Amino acid sequence: MRTSLIAGNWKMNGSLQSVNELIEGIRAADAVGAELVVCPPAVFLFKVGGMLDGSAVGLGAQNVCNHEAGAYTGEVSAAMLREAGCRYAIVGHSERRSLYGETDQLVAERFAMAVSGGIRPILCLGETLEQREQGVTEQVVAAQLDAVVDHCGIEAFAEAVIAYEPVWAIGTGKVATPEQAQAVHACIRALLEGRDAQVAAGIRILYGGSMNPGNAAELLAQADIDGGLIGGASLKAPDFLAIAQAVD
Ligand code: 13P
């Protein structure tokens, strides 16, 4: 049985004041059936980690360096993330791929460094609108996934999470239909099954892209959708919690 995971990717949003309010709101929630994780900007990780002390809500980073330590200006290592209290790190988000030129190879290296540093990677995969219209969604997602499996080995996925995030649904208000999302999730699980049936059965595959309290229940009811990676709606505690409650 896979425990659903609802993770909030705050992206580059917030201030000391709004972070306080958001965490207070999330902490005030009654127990929900899903595991909850928040991924604040790196500069807020220590603060949020402290605020979450003693709570069941987990902490995640939005990226992790592909090196252990050294002259990598602007990067944050897995060991540093651990010290800040992170359990998870997002890798390969489409904004990193498209705006900052992160390649499949770099994403695979970041994934490997997370795993070896004791951080669970949340690996993002997804096609652009053009690719969907060309009918190559499954090939695109398979190539993104294979790059990481080939580099890290399927064993590295034992504690990992995958997020299917169609690029055309991110921040656009255009959500994939439950059928569209389920089809890709099932395809990702089948690809993993070809490598290791146990990993495929246990791994959580999240949907991300304009998920909100109004559309979450239908998406989360799909057999291969094990949670959500939430952007905009994770910045409001009531919305984030309403999505988590939709798991039940
Ligand atoms: P939105 O929920 O704002 O569409 O963002 C999704 C996302 O990119 C989460 O990583």
Side-chain angles (χ1 to χ4, degrees):
M1 198 41 207
R2 300 183 291 265
T3 304
S4 298
L5 173 62
I6 302 293
N9 175 9
W10 296 2
K11 308 191 180 184
M12 198 177 74
N13 291 295
S15 61
L16 278 178
Q17 189 183 338
S18 71
V19 164
N20 269 320
E21 289 166 6
L22 188 46
I23 293 298
E24 291 300 335
I26 292 171
R27 280 208 60 157
D30 293 332
V32 290
E35 180 183 353
L36 295 185
V37 170
V38 293
C39 303
V43 73
F44 295 135
L45 283 172
F46 261 100
K47 180 180 175 61
V48 173
M51 291 183 76
L52 290 176
D53 218 19
S55 121
V57 179
L59 186 66
Q62 295 178 14
N63 211 346
V64 56
C65 187
N66 58 322
H67 298 279
E68 261 174 43
Y72 303 103
T73 301
E75 293 283 324
V76 180
S77 74
M80 293 170 187
L81 296 180
R82 287 274 299 179
E83 284 202 309
C86 288
R87 212 183 286 168
Y88 292 93
I90 296 169
V91 295
H93 191 279
S94 71
E95 286 147 20
R96 299 297 320 171
R97 294 177 189 262
S98 67
L99 303 174
Y100 296 95
E102 292 199 13
T103 60
D104 283 344
Q105 175 64 26
L106 177 55
V107 171
E109 290 174 12
R110 290 187 189 275
F111 185 104
M113 202 49 75
V115 172
S116 68
I119 300 276
R120 298 175 174 196
I122 301 174
L123 171 65
C124 299
L125 313 172
E127 82 289 1
T128 62
L129 182 58
E130 196 184 6
Q131 289 165 333
R132 175 159 284 268
E133 286 172 350
Q134 285 167 354
V136 295
T137 295
E138 296 193 356
Q139 288 94 311
V140 168
V141 168
Q144 290 171 338
L145 180 62
D146 283 344
V148 182
V149 180
D150 291 343
H151 181 81
C152 302
I154 189 68
E155 329 72 68
F157 282 72
E159 303 277 337
V161 175
I162 290 178
Y164 167 57
E165 299 207 307
V167 177
W168 48 271
I170 296 177
T172 58
K174 246 194 261 173
V175 66
T177 66
E179 296 72 27
Q180 284 174 322
Q182 166 58 25
V184 181
H185 282 231
C187 163
I188 292 168
R189 204 177 301 282
L191 288 166
L192 291 169
E193 199 160 11
R195 307 272 192 154
D196 186 312
Q198 207 177 333
V199 168
I203 201 165
R204 290 174 294 179
I205 307 176
L206 316 183
Y207 169 80
S210 299
M211 202 188 241
N212 62 41
N215 59 34
E218 249 195 317
L219 287 158
L220 294 168
Q222 303 301 306
D224 290 291
I225 301 186
D226 308 309
L229 183 55
I230 322 297
S234 73
L235 297 172
K236 292 190 188 124
D239 286 1
F240 185 58
L241 295 173
I243 293 171
Q245 266 138 15
V247 165
D248 311 323

